[in-house]
Amino acid sequence: MAELAERLGVSGPQVIKYLMTNGVAAALNQAVDFETAALAADHFGFEAESEDAAVEAAVEATGVAGQPGRARHPLLDLSGEDPATLVPRPPVAAVLGHVDHGKTSLLDVIRKTRVAAGEAGGITQSIGAYQVMHKGRPITFIDTPGHEAFTAMRARGADVTDIAILVVAADDGVMPQTEEAIQHARGAGVPIVVAVNKIDKDGANPDRVLQQLADRGLVSEQYGGDTQVVRTSAKSGDGLDDLLENILVTADILVQPKANPKRAAVGTVIDSHLERGRGPIATVLVQNGTLKVGDNIVAGAVFGKVRALLDDSGRKVQGAGPSTPVVVTGLSDVVVAGEVLHVTDTERAARTLAEQRALAQKQRQVQPVRHISLASLEAHAAEGETKTLNLVLKAEANGSLEALRGQIAKLGDDPAVKIKVVGEGVGAVSESDVNLAKVSDAIVIGFNVRPDDRARAAADDLGVDVRYYDVVYHVTEDIEKAVKGMYEPRMVEVFQGRAEVRRVFTVDGKNAIAGSHVLDGKITRNAVCKVLRDGAEVAHSRIEALKRFKDDVREVVKDYDCGITLADFNEFQEGDVIEAYVVEQQNL
Ligand code: GDP
């Protein structure tokens, strides 16, 4: 407690007095739990330091760290709660899987058929989550299917899902997004219940799906494993009761979700938009405590006072307890989905926190915080700490992915650093890969692939280290150096701009000219270029000539057309993207 007061920059008696008014009696030499520390940090933090620093102080002062594999937002972490205050809460399930395998259909049919008949009339539209009853017990479903939403939320530090429902169509089997979903659920440390869907269809082959899943480590009980697998049809409704039953069983055995409904609320915003006549509204999944009308709230850089609460059937309620989705009005603005919402003592505290966060966001935009990088790993290695280097691997083809994985495995385990591949796949580096890297504290390695625009923006925004290579040896070399604490800055290609090839000309049998439009940044005469087709690199060459109309020019900027000729490449196709780079020493 004395340490907490010191960290918060206030006197011990001040903290004691504040805690007493909140019903916590603690002496100066007594240890306080995280929740109490967070309460005090929340109260004093906004006066003393930034909120992040205050929460950090609370975490450090109580020695509460996130659970491994399940890095919770400090405000959502229950490990410091007094067990006596915790009671069971309904499990929260999210639906993941490949496109068209029936995720939306399953969510719809569960919602339509399982909500008590009397209430059905009240349902107008989805609020982003809903609760159904099975044998008198509630289950909460997140109504946005797909792991993109799931991971985007986790990347912001939110963590709403207790159980992942992996939907696999029985006629189609395991597909790329199925594999991604498995990786994301594992990354989140969330148990998976499998729904083998579309069993009504001709060509459905559930046994083949079970085999494919077993190959990926999800062995069903039928094959002697412990993965719960249910055969469903969103069309006929078959298997839905079983699915709900299995969610509850999994919750009871593996999750045992709990919360303290008596404390001030903490939850996650799962949807937010402007609504005519009502202003900004947000759907919040309350995760701990009870949210009440009149509460002062803050979510990200937005604050307010709860004006009204509506449940998932559109009815007004006075309070919403743990695992309950509820629509909140009274916020000052629309909130980014995934932000954590919590209740503050005073309106002023909410406002100050929101303002500080807005300021911090602006600063972050100027200087992104690097999450983990090969260089920071070196620092850890030098301090003699054991560290895991997590990697997300993306390559242009299965063959090279395997080669890369094989070479990395050969590096073996260093006593100080374990290397772990937390995700992998074929294709361009996507936003979803960057999010996965962020939540699992990983580095993204792109092999002969590039990021798409959204991935690039997400990597900048989240401070994820994304590296591109075209020689396997360079990947392993960098990893080895980092592991051994010998990482040295290298000459790297720094992105400069991008142009799209709109027409291809060949004059007098000479080099082809790519008539291009600069999409962003600029292209300079001395740049090195990569030619990308569908996200994969097809050429790498310096520029031979850069022209505007007939004139040679030194550079061409965004929104202008130009003609690009490369020294060693002639096979342009319309739609190719030319990326320009300059070579610089890496500055980490
Ligand atoms: P999502 O992309 O995973 O959300 O898939 P949708 O729920 O949109 O379903 C894709 C298509 O499969 C739609 O045409 C659905 O009507 C159909 N579908 C979904 N579930 C079933 C099912 O159990 N049986 C059959 N026969 N069709 C289904």
Side-chain angles (χ1 to χ4, degrees):
M1 167 83 99
E3 191 188 344
L4 174 66
E6 193 187 317
R7 279 181 190 279
L8 294 176
V10 291
S11 77
Q14 262 180 299
V15 178
I16 293 177
K17 189 165 157 231
Y18 171 71
L19 291 178
M20 297 258 291
T21 58
N22 282 275
V24 182
L28 200 56
N29 58 359
Q30 218 176 325
V32 289
D33 62 16
F34 173 75
E35 217 256 281
T36 312
L39 193 71
D42 180 25
H43 180 72
F44 293 107
F46 69 90
E47 284 168 354
E49 300 173 67
S50 77
E51 185 250 356
D52 280 355
V55 171
E56 225 171 74
V59 171
E60 280 182 27
T62 55
V64 175
Q67 290 157 270
R70 190 106 207 224
R72 280 192 177 266
H73 190 284
L75 292 168
L76 298 173
D77 195 333
L78 288 185
S79 50
E81 294 256 4
D82 177 2
T85 63
L86 298 177
V87 295
R89 62 169 174 83
V92 179
V95 176
L96 316 180
H98 196 72
V99 64
D100 278 349
H101 280 196
K103 300 181 293 294
T104 314
S105 307
L106 275 174
L107 279 165
D108 283 350
V109 67
I110 292 171
R111 179 159 160 243
K112 287 204 185 91
T113 56
R114 309 292 138 150
V115 174
E119 296 173 12
I123 301 174
T124 43
Q125 67 194 80
S126 164
I127 63 166
Y130 61 81
Q131 228 172 36
V132 296
M133 298 297 271
H134 178 72
K135 294 192 179 154
R137 294 177 61 188
I139 302 171
T140 304
F141 280 91
I142 303 292
D143 212 359
T144 328
H147 56 266
E148 287 80 5
F150 173 78
T151 326
M153 277 197 208
R154 291 197 67 234
R156 310 202 85 83
D159 193 357
V160 298
T161 307
D162 297 311
I163 293 171
I165 314 296
L166 179 69
V167 179
V168 192
D171 55 340
D172 214 10
V174 169
M175 298 298 276
Q177 283 168 286
T178 317
E179 303 208 12
E180 274 184 42
I182 296 172
Q183 289 172 4
H184 283 281
R186 284 190 177 144
V190 169
I192 296 172
V193 171
V194 178
V196 178
N197 190 38
K198 304 198 187 183
I199 46 158
D200 60 283
K201 275 185 88 167
D202 293 342
N205 187 350
D207 288 331
R208 186 177 70 111
V209 177
L210 292 195
Q211 185 55 55
Q212 291 174 328
L213 289 169
D215 291 344
R216 286 156 183 86
L218 288 177
V219 185
S220 65
E221 285 181 329
Q222 186 183 330
Y223 287 171
D226 55 7
T227 303
Q228 308 271 348
V229 178
V230 188
R231 299 171 189 222
T232 61
S233 165
K235 199 172 172 192
S236 69
D238 278 352
L240 296 185
D241 274 332
D242 274 355
L243 180 61
L244 299 180
E245 184 72 27
N246 270 286
I247 293 171
L248 289 174
V249 169
T250 304
D252 289 344
I253 297 172
L254 294 176
V255 190
Q256 297 169 351
K258 288 198 172 75
N260 169 10
K262 297 213 171 103
R263 50 160 284 163
V266 182
T268 297
V269 174
I270 52 177
D271 180 64
S272 181
H273 59 271
L274 270 178
E275 205 158 281
R276 201 181 291 173
R278 286 206 285 173
I281 68 165
T283 299
V284 175
L285 178 73
V286 178
Q287 288 163 281
N288 199 4
T290 298
L291 186 63
K292 303 191 192 85
V293 173
D295 279 346
N296 295 302
I297 46 176
V298 55
V302 175
F303 67 98
K305 195 183 193 72
V306 178
R307 200 160 58 221
L309 294 173
L310 302 175
D311 70 9
D312 55 357
S313 332
R315 287 175 312 199
K316 276 199 171 174
V317 290
Q318 287 305 306
S323 298
T324 313
V326 69
V327 175
V328 178
T329 58
L331 283 160
S332 59
D333 203 348
V334 173
V335 186
V336 183
E339 290 287 7
V340 171
L341 174 140
H342 81 280
V343 171
T344 58
D345 290 349
T346 61
E347 209 167 324
R348 188 173 145 236
R351 180 192 296 267
T352 315
L353 271 176
E355 283 167 359
Q356 279 179 350
R357 285 170 175 173
L359 197 69
Q361 270 171 13
K362 269 202 197 120
Q363 283 165 353
R364 261 204 297 277
Q365 274 162 9
V366 180
Q367 197 169 38
V369 196
R370 285 273 158 215
H371 207 51
I372 183 169
S373 65
L374 288 181
S376 71
L377 183 76
E378 178 213 347
H380 285 285
E383 285 162 19
E385 277 178 43
T386 306
K387 186 91 185 133
T388 306
L389 173 60
N390 291 328
L391 300 174
V392 174
L393 308 178
K394 289 302 285 268
E396 90 285 17
N398 254 320
S400 48
L401 184 63
E402 267 167 36
L404 189 61
R405 199 194 307 123
Q407 288 301 320
I408 290 174
K410 269 200 203 152
L411 287 175
D413 273 350
D414 184 276
V417 185
K418 274 185 62 178
I419 300 168
K420 193 169 149 198
V421 176
V422 293
E424 58 177 31
V426 171
V429 173
S430 67
E431 191 181 7
S432 158
D433 298 323
V434 172
N435 282 330
L436 176 63
K438 163 83 184 179
V439 297
S440 44
D441 212 8
I443 294 169
V444 182
I445 306 265
F447 189 70
N448 280 336
V449 292
R450 315 301 307 165
D452 59 29
D453 289 345
R454 288 173 58 189
R456 201 192 304 279
D460 282 348
D461 187 27
L462 299 172
V464 169
D465 194 357
V466 185
R467 279 156 187 269
Y468 302 99
Y469 296 88
D470 44 18
V471 183
V472 173
Y473 176 65
H474 286 160
V475 182
T476 49
E477 197 181 53
D478 274 6
I479 293 175
E480 265 195 311
K481 281 183 183 165
V483 166
K484 295 201 173 113
M486 288 170 17
Y487 187 83
E488 281 164 22
R490 245 180 350 114
M491 301 309 282
V492 290
E493 294 174 337
V494 177
F495 176 76
Q496 197 180 41
R498 231 154 37 104
E500 186 185 49
V501 178
R502 300 262 162 102
R503 283 192 67 183
V504 183
F505 310 91
T506 319
V507 188
D508 314 330
K510 287 201 207 131
N511 280 2
I513 302 168
S516 311
H517 182 78
V518 181
L519 299 173
D520 53 36
K522 60 183 179 182
I523 311 283
T524 55
R525 173 71 183 76
N526 60 357
V528 174
C529 289
K530 293 182 178 179
V531 181
L532 310 177
R533 196 164 293 155
D534 302 324
E537 189 177 319
V538 292
H540 189 258
S541 164
R542 66 183 174 79
I543 292 185
E544 172 84 27
L546 180 66
K547 283 186 194 286
R548 283 224 0 108
F549 303 103
K550 294 251 169 298
D551 303 326
D552 282 306
V553 288
R554 282 230 294 276
E555 68 172 45
V556 183
V557 296
K558 183 172 181 287
D559 294 335
Y560 284 89
D561 292 326
C562 60
I564 300 173
T565 309
L566 296 183
D568 314 304
F569 183 71
N570 283 314
E571 290 78 39
F572 292 110
Q573 285 182 11
E574 280 172 27
D576 283 352
V577 170
I578 298 178
E579 284 189 346
Y581 291 80
V582 283
V583 178
E584 282 178 8
Q585 178 171 313
Q586 187 149 28
N587 197 9
L588 283 159

